[in-house]
Amino acid sequence: MNAAIRSIQITAVGALLAAGTAHADWSNLGGNAQSNGLSAVVGPWAADETWSRSDMSCLISWVPITSGNRVFMVRQTYAQAPYNPPPGEARVHCLDLQTGATLWTFDCPFEPGDWTTVVYGARDGRVFVGRGGNGSSASARVHCLDAATGSLLWVSADEVSTGSYDGVVFMDNGDPIFASNTTMRRLDAQTGATVWNVTRTCSVSGNCGPARDGDSIYLDEVAPGGQKISRFNATTGQRLYSSQTMPGFLNQTSPFCAPGGLVFYLRASNEGSANDKFYAFRDTGTAFELLWTASAYTEPFARHAITPDGGVTMLSRDGRLQIRDQVTGALRAQSDAPVLSPSGFTSSMVAVDSLGRIFHNNSNGAGGSTAEIRSFDPSLDLRWSIAMTGVSQGGPSLANDGSLLLAGTGEVRRYWAAPPCIPQDLDCNGSVGPTDIAILLSAWGACGKGTCVADIDR
């Protein structure tokens, strides 16, 4: 077999297998159970807008959640105090992914003390919404909806105080896990019954979300003089052990993880250069091993991501987007210029597709300022950029067909552009998946019989 062709094949298999560990739907705030922003799809090849909805303006924009051909989001329109909202003030919208048309809406019931509606996530034909939040000070029941029709399936007997900035993660059987600054609760996806409920501590009342890898759940918790990462058992809820202390005062980010027991945490709350760091740990099964730290830009509310070739994103102290090696911390790539918000406050939201291309939103975390959404190739050379007002937490989300979804305060947009036939996309259908692996393995088998396909890289 030609050495160059074999090299391309090996590269293709690596990308395909890495993508296979990620997820196709953007099921929760962090995109998947690991909250690591890595998608199994090929994102848009260009910034081609396929539809926009400007009739859904809102005050603060929240993340678009996807399941199959459906997009779920809250469009919040009411902020008057005391918080006693009229019908429709924070309505759940279900849109058709291909056309942007409204398929159904749902007004989550309001009780005194509740907060704005949250779409916690979607999994296995179910959408989970509620009114917890306001810095975890408001508790409310979870409402489970049928993803196809919006009909109510169940209401949980127990309340959760998880809010829009916390996020949830799902077990493999679809059970959602909710975390707030004081508790973590697992609900049965079929009935809404509590499977277990445990106490935890978080340094602030928000951004206290979990990350899950297998039967391990990772949370940040308060430690004397700073924060620590703690591991919990996902089956029982039992706290197992914690990392060393990461020095500093308050912090407003959540951990995320990668295969191999790797856990990442941005410890940056503007207390000074000594404490503003990005941490990488390895969970050995009995303890946390500190692998490396790097000086980081202060980014409360930020959500960073991993890449399919073993990298992890972060912002340098001067605001440049970086990719570092997950295990060693070695700098692999850095953007030519800072990617900071013009407002002076930046809270990165990051998604990565199966080819390692990065989609970065430099939102200021709230408010209505203009954000820049940039797409970089794996070497962090800029591919394209677009501007959008008030994106906040409203993306980037990558749907299962490769669509890029963005929700600003004035509009919701879908971007999609069919890629050229890339080496990994062997059937040229615009996505990388099992069919491509089958084609590649078949070609290898043919080569073994002396009928090698020379044009495997197209």
Side-chain angles (χ1 to χ4, degrees):
M1 179 185 296
N2 181 279
I5 294 175
R6 180 174 176 80
S7 176
I8 291 173
Q9 291 177 334
I10 293 173
T11 301
V13 168
L16 291 166
L17 294 179
T21 65
H23 296 259
D25 287 317
W26 201 266
S27 60
N28 58 337
L29 180 58
N32 54 47
Q34 294 76 37
S35 295
N36 63 25
L38 177 62
S39 173
V41 305
V42 176
W45 207 260
D48 293 350
E49 183 180 309
T50 61
W51 56 256
S52 175
R53 289 285 301 270
S54 59
D55 59 337
M56 299 171 61
S57 61
C58 64
L59 296 174
I60 300 177
S61 198
W62 308 116
V63 60
I65 300 294
T66 73
S67 180
N69 196 44
R70 285 171 166 76
V71 183
F72 312 98
M73 66 185 71
V74 170
R75 303 299 283 174
Q76 177 186 348
T77 60
Y78 189 81
Q80 182 176 343
Y83 199 75
N84 186 19
E89 54 74 41
R91 180 170 289 166
V92 177
H93 296 258
C94 174
L95 306 183
D96 183 279
L97 175 63
Q98 303 301 320
T99 67
T102 298
L103 299 177
W104 53 259
T105 62
F106 176 78
D107 288 321
C108 193
F110 176 84
E111 297 178 0
D114 287 352
W115 198 238
T116 191
T117 308
V118 184
V119 175
Y120 292 115
R123 172 77 189 248
D124 302 332
R126 295 168 181 259
V127 185
F128 302 87
V129 306
R131 284 183 175 272
N134 190 25
S136 299
S137 65
S139 297
R141 291 176 174 83
V142 178
H143 292 66
C144 178
L145 311 178
D146 184 283
T149 65
S151 60
L152 182 64
L153 299 178
W154 51 254
V155 179
S156 66
D158 297 316
E159 297 186 338
V160 303
S161 53
T162 302
S164 301
Y165 289 101
D166 297 307
V168 305
V169 296
F170 290 99
M171 297 295 294
D172 289 342
N173 70 349
D175 286 0
I177 296 175
F178 300 82
S180 68
N181 65 321
T182 58
T183 65
M184 179 170 57
R185 185 185 301 271
R186 176 177 172 177
L187 296 183
D188 186 292
Q190 304 302 314
T191 67
T194 293
V195 178
W196 49 254
N197 184 48
V198 297
T199 60
R200 59 79 61 99
T201 61
C202 185
S203 68
V204 293
S205 55
N207 295 277
C208 298
R212 180 184 71 84
D213 184 18
D215 201 38
S216 301
I217 299 176
Y218 300 105
L219 295 172
D220 65 299
E221 295 197 285
V222 174
Q227 281 78 45
K228 60 186 179 182
I229 299 297
S230 295
R231 176 183 173 181
F232 292 74
N233 183 288
T235 300
T236 65
Q238 178 187 8
R239 179 188 280 103
L240 299 177
Y241 45 83
S242 300
S243 72
Q244 67 186 68
T245 299
M246 296 170 282
F249 188 45
L250 300 179
N251 201 45
Q252 291 179 278
T253 62
S254 298
F256 60 104
C257 52
L262 301 178
V263 184
F264 307 102
Y265 186 66
L266 174 60
R267 165 58 285 218
S269 56
N270 203 23
E271 298 159 348
S273 60
N275 292 327
D276 290 357
K277 293 181 180 180
F278 189 94
Y279 283 78
F281 295 95
R282 174 182 280 122
D283 181 358
T284 67
T286 58
F288 287 98
E289 173 192 4
L290 178 62
L291 297 178
W292 55 271
T293 65
S295 296
Y297 188 81
T298 300
E299 290 191 276
F301 319 132
R303 292 271 175 172
H304 278 278
I306 67 171
T307 64
D309 60 348
V312 61
T313 72
M314 60 169 286
L315 292 196
S316 66
R317 183 60 53 77
D318 65 354
R320 296 173 190 267
L321 183 62
Q322 294 183 336
I323 299 176
R324 292 184 176 270
D325 186 276
Q326 293 176 10
V327 176
T328 68
L331 182 62
R332 291 184 174 184
Q334 179 171 264
S335 62
D336 290 337
V339 294
L340 302 178
S341 167
S343 69
F345 178 92
T346 299
S347 178
S348 294
M349 301 291 290
V350 183
V352 179
D353 75 4
S354 62
L355 300 182
R357 299 179 305 180
I358 295 169
F359 303 87
H360 177 268
N361 165 18
N362 70 353
S363 167
N364 67 357
S369 65
T370 298
E372 196 80 14
I373 295 87
R374 298 176 174 91
S375 178
F376 296 89
D377 67 21
S379 62
L380 290 185
D381 290 327
L382 183 65
R383 299 172 62 227
W384 47 260
S385 67
I386 54 178
M388 193 170 184
T389 300
V391 183
S392 184
Q393 280 196 322
S397 298
L398 290 171
N400 67 0
D401 68 344
S403 299
L404 173 68
L405 297 168
L406 298 170
T409 50
E411 59 185 326
V412 180
R413 301 177 189 169
R414 173 188 182 246
Y415 290 87
W416 187 83
C421 187
I422 55 178
Q424 294 89 345
D425 182 16
L426 302 181
D427 60 357
C428 287
N429 69 345
S431 64
V432 180
T435 302
D436 303 292
I437 295 178
I439 293 172
L440 194 55
L441 294 177
S442 176
W444 270 341
C447 289
K449 298 175 183 178
T451 56
C452 186
V453 179
D455 192 26
I456 193 69
D457 64 347
R458 300 190 187 272

